[in-house]
């Protein structure tokens, strides 16, 4: 087992770790946008103001983890990156447009709106982009898991445009994974917001939303698993029939029930840790079920990896970047957390 773990697997693991951090940070920011779209009741303005206050200071910095995922994929696994960028260029381009629109709309709503109508219009763009972008991220992950992306790459020029560039991601399983990603991000955001606010009424609002999102996660997860039986059999076999499946499923279930129980009993610090663990376990379950493939059914970690000299150079660059990046992010978070607490 250990002989099979080398530098290529190390880089694959780093990519999943970076994606995990992005989901727990940037994903929650997207979830905040979902709740911005769904603000209701007599405290809707206060809900929207607190969401903006919570995600505003450092939300752009969270995208650094997504940038790291992209850079490591095209340097360490260039053949896989070429396949993903070619076959999935439509949802990936739409996702990037969503990220840009979301950020621009947030800034224009916060600092560039002179009338309530302008602020309202930019707010709608921010909320809609916050909803569609994580949906597309989940669709991309789901499409890769089906194996249709790898097959489509071999059919370029031989079959119609739709069969190569649309059909692999516009099908029930990728869409179900997109809905699951959206529900997970919304749950994370609601739990984080309930933990951070000091306003008891707002805390109750976000607590109810977190419980509703947890129920949506439950439904979406089983829906995705049902579609996997037909469209992603390798993924389903890994998640249900592998040697690690049972303990992994138990751990994920315990984390989910702990998060729901803690929310029910208003123990928000425990709920935050449990929700983060639940989301992380789901992500790593996907990665383990797909191992050793980067793009099934043919591109594995080993046969798509870059030459060793490239990996060594990237490893040194990664270490140097970590020395700069991690302390900077810690300092950034401590600075703004301190200012928010005053």
């Amino acid at each position: 087992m250990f002989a099979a773990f080398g530098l290529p697997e190390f880089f694959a693991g780093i990519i999943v770790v970076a994606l995990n951090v992005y989901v727990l940070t940037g994903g929650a920011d997207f979830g905040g946008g979902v709740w911005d779209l769904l603000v209701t009741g007599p405290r809707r303005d206060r809900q929207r103001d607190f969401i903006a206050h919570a995600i505003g200071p450092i939300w752009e910095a969270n995208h650094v983890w997504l940038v790291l995922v992209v850079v490591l994929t095209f340097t360490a696994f260039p053949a896989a990156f070429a396949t993903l960028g070619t076959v999935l260029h439509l949802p990936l381009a739409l996702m990037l447009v969503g990220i840009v629109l979301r950020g621009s709309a947030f800034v224009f709503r916060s600092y560039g709106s002179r009338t309530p109508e302008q602020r309202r219009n930019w707010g709608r763009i921010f909320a809609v982009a916050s909803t569609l972008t994580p949906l597309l991220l989940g669709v991309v992950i789901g499409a890769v898991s089906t194996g249709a992306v790898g097959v489509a790459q071999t059919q370029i020029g031989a079959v119609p445009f739709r069969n190569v560039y649309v059909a692999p991601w516009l099908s029930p399983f990728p869409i179900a994974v997109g809905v699951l990603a959206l529900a997970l991000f919304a749950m994370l955001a609601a739990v984080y917001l309930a933990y951070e606010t000091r306003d008891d009424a707002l805390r109750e609002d976000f607590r109810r939303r977190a419980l509703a999102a947890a129920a949506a996660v439950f439904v979406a997860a089983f829906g995705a698993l049902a579609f996997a039986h037909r469209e992603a059999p390798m993924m389903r076999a890994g998640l249900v029939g592998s040697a690690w499946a049972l303990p992994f499923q138990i751990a994920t279930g315990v984390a989910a029930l702990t998060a729901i129980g803690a929310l029910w009993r208003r123990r928000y610090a425990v709920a935050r840790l449990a929700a983060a663990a639940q989301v992380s376990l789901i992500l790593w379950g996907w990665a383990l079920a797909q191992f050793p493939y980067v793009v099934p059914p043919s591109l594995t970690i080993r046969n798509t990896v870059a030459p060793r000299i490239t990996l060594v150079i990237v490893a040194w660059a990664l270490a140097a970047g970590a020395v700069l990046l991690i302390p900077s992010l810690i300092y950034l978070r401590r600075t703004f957390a301190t200012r928010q607490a005053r």
Side-chain angles (χ1 to χ4, degrees):
M1 176 179 177
F2 292 103
F5 193 91
L7 205 51
E9 288 76 18
F10 168 77
F11 274 99
I14 291 294
I15 289 173
V16 181
V17 169
L19 189 59
N20 196 162
V21 178
Y22 181 66
V23 165
L24 295 181
T25 54
D29 290 342
F30 283 112
V34 173
W35 297 121
D36 186 287
L37 180 66
L38 300 176
V39 290
T40 56
R43 292 179 292 277
R44 56 183 299 161
D45 291 337
R46 283 162 58 193
Q47 292 168 10
R48 183 168 283 144
D49 289 343
F50 183 73
I51 291 169
H53 175 73
I55 69 177
I58 54 175
W59 64 282
E60 278 288 9
N62 292 329
H63 290 306
V64 73
W65 300 106
L66 183 61
V67 173
L68 181 61
V69 170
V70 174
V71 170
L72 286 182
T73 303
F74 81 69
T75 52
F77 306 101
F81 182 83
T83 298
L84 297 173
T86 303
V87 177
L88 296 175
H89 72 275
L90 287 175
L92 288 173
L94 290 172
M95 202 178 93
L96 291 176
V97 169
I99 291 174
V100 173
L101 266 182
R102 178 177 182 273
S104 303
F106 183 85
V107 171
F108 284 126
R109 185 183 72 171
S110 302
Y111 307 108
S113 300
R114 296 181 179 178
T115 65
E117 184 179 2
Q118 288 180 342
R119 181 177 171 81
R120 194 161 47 247
N121 289 337
W122 284 118
R124 288 191 186 116
I125 295 173
F126 166 72
V128 171
S130 296
T131 303
L132 294 180
T133 305
L135 188 68
L136 288 165
L137 176 62
V139 165
V140 167
I141 291 175
V144 173
S145 303
T146 63
V149 174
V151 174
Q153 173 69 14
T154 65
Q155 297 175 329
I156 294 176
V159 296
F161 180 90
R162 184 187 184 286
N163 293 32
V164 176
Y165 301 109
V166 179
W169 57 273
L170 196 59
S171 64
F173 179 72
I175 293 173
V177 176
V179 172
L180 175 60
L182 183 63
L184 286 170
F185 289 0
M187 182 189 72
L188 274 180
V191 172
Y192 290 179
L193 290 166
Y195 171 79
E196 290 183 13
T197 184
R198 298 294 176 264
D199 184 318
D200 289 339
L202 282 183
R203 177 169 279 171
E204 277 301 303
D205 290 342
F206 292 124
R207 171 179 166 270
R208 285 193 290 271
R209 284 162 173 75
L211 288 170
V217 167
F218 183 81
V219 174
F222 276 91
L225 194 61
F227 285 120
H229 181 70
R230 184 166 59 92
E231 295 189 33
M234 187 189 76
M235 179 63 55
R236 189 178 188 282
L239 291 174
V240 176
S242 64
W244 51 265
L246 182 59
F248 214 87
Q249 298 289 0
I250 291 174
T252 306
V254 168
L257 292 175
T258 302
I260 293 172
L263 283 169
W264 192 263
R265 300 178 62 182
R266 296 176 175 78
R267 297 178 63 182
Y268 297 105
V270 176
R272 187 173 70 154
L273 288 174
Q278 178 190 356
V279 174
S280 300
L281 285 167
I282 290 174
L283 178 71
W284 280 94
W286 159 75
L288 288 174
Q290 190 166 299
F291 183 84
Y293 293 97
V294 182
V295 183
S298 58
L299 298 181
T300 66
I301 293 172
R302 290 280 173 159
N303 70 17
T304 189
V305 72
R308 180 174 176 79
I309 183 61
T310 302
L311 298 185
V312 172
I313 293 172
V314 174
W316 280 107
L318 191 64
V323 170
L324 294 174
L325 176 64
I326 293 176
S328 301
L329 288 176
I330 293 173
Y331 179 71
L332 184 68
R333 289 183 179 278
R334 284 183 176 175
T335 300
F336 284 104
T338 303
R339 289 180 182 178
Q340 286 181 344
R342 288 173 181 169

